[in-house]
Amino acid sequence: MELSAGTVEIVVCVVLIFLSVFGNLLLIYCTRRCIGEHLRISFILIFNLAFDHIVNNLVVNVLKIVYASGVGLDSASCKVLMFTTVFTTSLAIWFTLYIALLYCFKVCQVVHPPVEVASTNHRKCHLVLVFALWVVCFAFCSPVVPYTGKNENLTGGNETYQQHGILNYSECKTEYRNEQLEFLYGKIFLVAIDLLPLIILLLVGFRIAHLLWEHKKATYGGIWIGDNTTEAEVLRACKLVLALIFLITSFWISHFVLMHCLKHFKNYYFAPPIMTGLISGYSAVSPYLLTLINYKIKVKAESFCCKGEKKPVSPTAVSPSVEVSPYA
């Protein structure tokens, strides 16, 4: 029996919601268990990124399920759908860039240690920056709300339109007051707040890859080559950050090309599930990589999933005979 387009999209949304909610709740739980007296900056960023992913799936994909089931959306639901999609997508890109910059700085200190030990007491500054990201991103995406509403002028005579129109979200549309506003804000500004950090993210990824290559090739000389678990954790985390960069850029570029460059793609039967997967795929996959980015979070996740195993030795419990780098 052939599945309808709406059924396929509902199945895709349900799978994405399950993967994202389970992975991100596990990530938040493990991060919360790891927070002690010393709150790491990486924990703050991971926690915020996981929360953003949960909001994306519980709002956007749930509304898509409601829409694909034939219930339809009113004007308020269209505003929520459009705003949450734009807001959570941009915020995920910015937090991923923040994480990449953090680990780029860490691996740079491992490969090229400074003469003096750098101060690590910048927690308040990072908290302010994280809060500022939420506020700024909210302010940048808010103008979408008043211009989004329910489309009352749906075509009724075209059978193809009636069959697939509900899956193209034709009920919800964004109309600006004039063409200049649509061009400057809808086509330039909203793309720029995603594209610019993605370009920076790619440059940071190249820098991290170059530093990892330098570390692998370094033997003797002025570069400090330590042999401790803290350095190994930083190097492993940087490799996972590279995977995150690849995922988020590939998802965003693929969605942008299909949405804006292939005008007739969204009329195809298989278009809505693919677009949904590209929009929410990063939020469903990234938490499982983020659980491995920090040793403590990884241990908590393993103990949660595989109860009864012996408790691994903490990476901070290093033998006194082993030299520990203060820079990792």
Side-chain angles (χ1 to χ4, degrees), residues 1 44 56 74 80 162 171 182 203 213 223 225 237 262 270 325 328:
M1 180 178 179
I44 300 173
N56 177 280
D74 56 12
V80 172
Q162 289 179 334
E171 272 191 25
E182 180 181 359
L203 295 176
W213 180 82
I223 300 179
I225 303 298
L262 302 178
F270 51 83
S325 168

Side-chain angles (χ1 to χ4, degrees), residues 82-136:
M82 182 64 66
F83 170 76
T84 308
T85 302
V86 176
F87 175 69
T88 54
T89 301
S90 299
L91 203 59
I93 294 173
W94 281 99
F95 275 126
T96 304
L97 174 59
Y98 204 150
I99 293 173
L101 288 171
L102 176 67
Y103 280 99
C104 182
F105 176 75
K106 286 186 176 183
V107 74
C108 186
Q109 286 187 317
V110 170
V111 178
H112 302 289
V115 178
E116 297 180 357
V117 179
S119 175
T120 58
N121 190 20
H122 301 297
R123 195 177 305 111
K124 291 183 179 180
C125 180
H126 286 284
L127 287 172
V128 172
L129 288 176
V130 168
F131 178 76
L133 278 180
W134 281 93
V135 174
V136 171

Side-chain angles (χ1 to χ4, degrees), residues 23 39 60 87 124 154 157 159 179-180 192 199 223 241 249 285 312:
L39 178 59
V60 176
F87 175 69
K124 291 183 179 180
L154 296 178
E159 294 182 358
E179 293 182 358
Q180 184 178 7
I199 293 174
I223 300 179
V241 168
T249 51
V285 177

Side-chain angles (χ1 to χ4, degrees), residues 14 18 20 53 70 83 104 114 134 158 177 186 248 325:
V14 170
F18 173 77
S20 181
H53 288 334
F83 170 76
C104 182
W134 281 93
N158 192 326
R177 294 176 180 176
I248 196 169
S325 168

Side-chain angles (χ1 to χ4, degrees), residues 50 66 113 132 171 260:
V66 173
E171 272 191 25
H260 298 281

Side-chain angles (χ1 to χ4, degrees), residues 10-27:
I10 290 174
V11 171
V12 171
C13 289
V14 170
V15 172
L16 289 172
I17 290 173
F18 173 77
L19 291 175
S20 181
V21 172
F22 175 79
N24 286 290
L25 284 179
L26 176 64
L27 186 61

Side-chain angles (χ1 to χ4, degrees), residues 57-305:
N57 277 271
L58 291 182
V59 177
V60 176
N61 285 336
V62 168
L63 287 176
K64 287 183 178 181
I65 291 175
V66 173
Y67 201 0
S69 63
V71 177
L73 300 176
D74 56 12
S75 180
S77 299
C78 287
K79 293 179 185 293
V80 172
L81 174 63
M82 182 64 66
F83 170 76
T84 308
T85 302
V86 176
F87 175 69
T88 54
T89 301
S90 299
L91 203 59
I93 294 173
W94 281 99
F95 275 126
T96 304
L97 174 59
Y98 204 150
I99 293 173
L101 288 171
L102 176 67
Y103 280 99
C104 182
F105 176 75
K106 286 186 176 183
V107 74
C108 186
Q109 286 187 317
V110 170
V111 178
H112 302 289
V115 178
E116 297 180 357
V117 179
S119 175
T120 58
N121 190 20
H122 301 297
R123 195 177 305 111
K124 291 183 179 180
C125 180
H126 286 284
L127 287 172
V128 172
L129 288 176
V130 168
F131 178 76
L133 278 180
W134 281 93
V135 174
V136 171
C137 194
F138 182 87
F140 284 169
C141 300
S142 292
V144 172
V145 176
Y147 300 115
T148 301
K150 184 177 180 179
N151 189 0
E152 302 294 346
N153 300 319
L154 296 178
T155 304
N158 192 326
E159 294 182 358
T160 303
Y161 186 91
Q162 289 179 334
Q163 182 180 2
H164 303 296
I166 191 172
L167 302 174
N168 294 331
Y169 307 105
S170 53
E171 272 191 25
C172 298
K173 66 174 182 177
T174 303
E175 288 187 343
Y176 298 93
R177 294 176 180 176
N178 52 66
E179 293 182 358
Q180 184 178 7
L181 179 62
E182 180 181 359
F183 177 77
L184 293 177
Y185 179 77
K187 295 183 178 179
I188 301 297
F189 185 79
L190 287 181
V191 173
I193 62 175
D194 289 348
L195 186 59
L196 289 178
L198 281 174
I199 293 174
I200 300 174
L201 194 59
L202 287 174
L203 295 176
V204 174
F206 286 126
R207 176 58 176 166
I208 292 175
H210 180 259
L211 290 170
L212 292 175
W213 180 82
E214 282 190 10
H215 180 272
K216 183 178 181 180
K217 294 296 182 181
T219 53
Y220 301 98
I223 300 179
W224 182 88
I225 303 298
D227 186 20
N228 63 87
T229 52
T230 306
E231 178 185 341
E233 179 182 342
V234 172
L235 297 176
R236 184 186 69 250
C238 288
K239 295 175 183 178
L240 293 171
V241 168
L242 291 178
L244 292 174
I245 293 174
F246 172 78
L247 282 175
I248 196 169
T249 51
S250 59
F251 279 133
W252 191 92
I253 292 174
S254 299
H255 179 269
F256 181 83
V257 170
L258 294 177
M259 191 71 179
H260 298 281
C261 299
L262 302 178
K263 296 182 179 179
H264 300 290
F265 174 78
K266 56 186 178 182
N267 294 324
Y268 290 114
Y269 171 89
F270 51 83
I274 293 177
M275 301 299 285
T276 299
L278 293 175
I279 292 174
S280 302
Y282 181 68
S283 64
V285 177
S286 61
Y288 300 98
L289 294 176
L290 289 170
T291 53
L292 306 175
I293 205 168
N294 182 277
Y295 180 83
K296 291 184 177 180
I297 296 178
K298 178 175 177 290
V299 170
K300 293 294 182 181
E302 289 177 350
S303 63
F304 178 84
C305 298

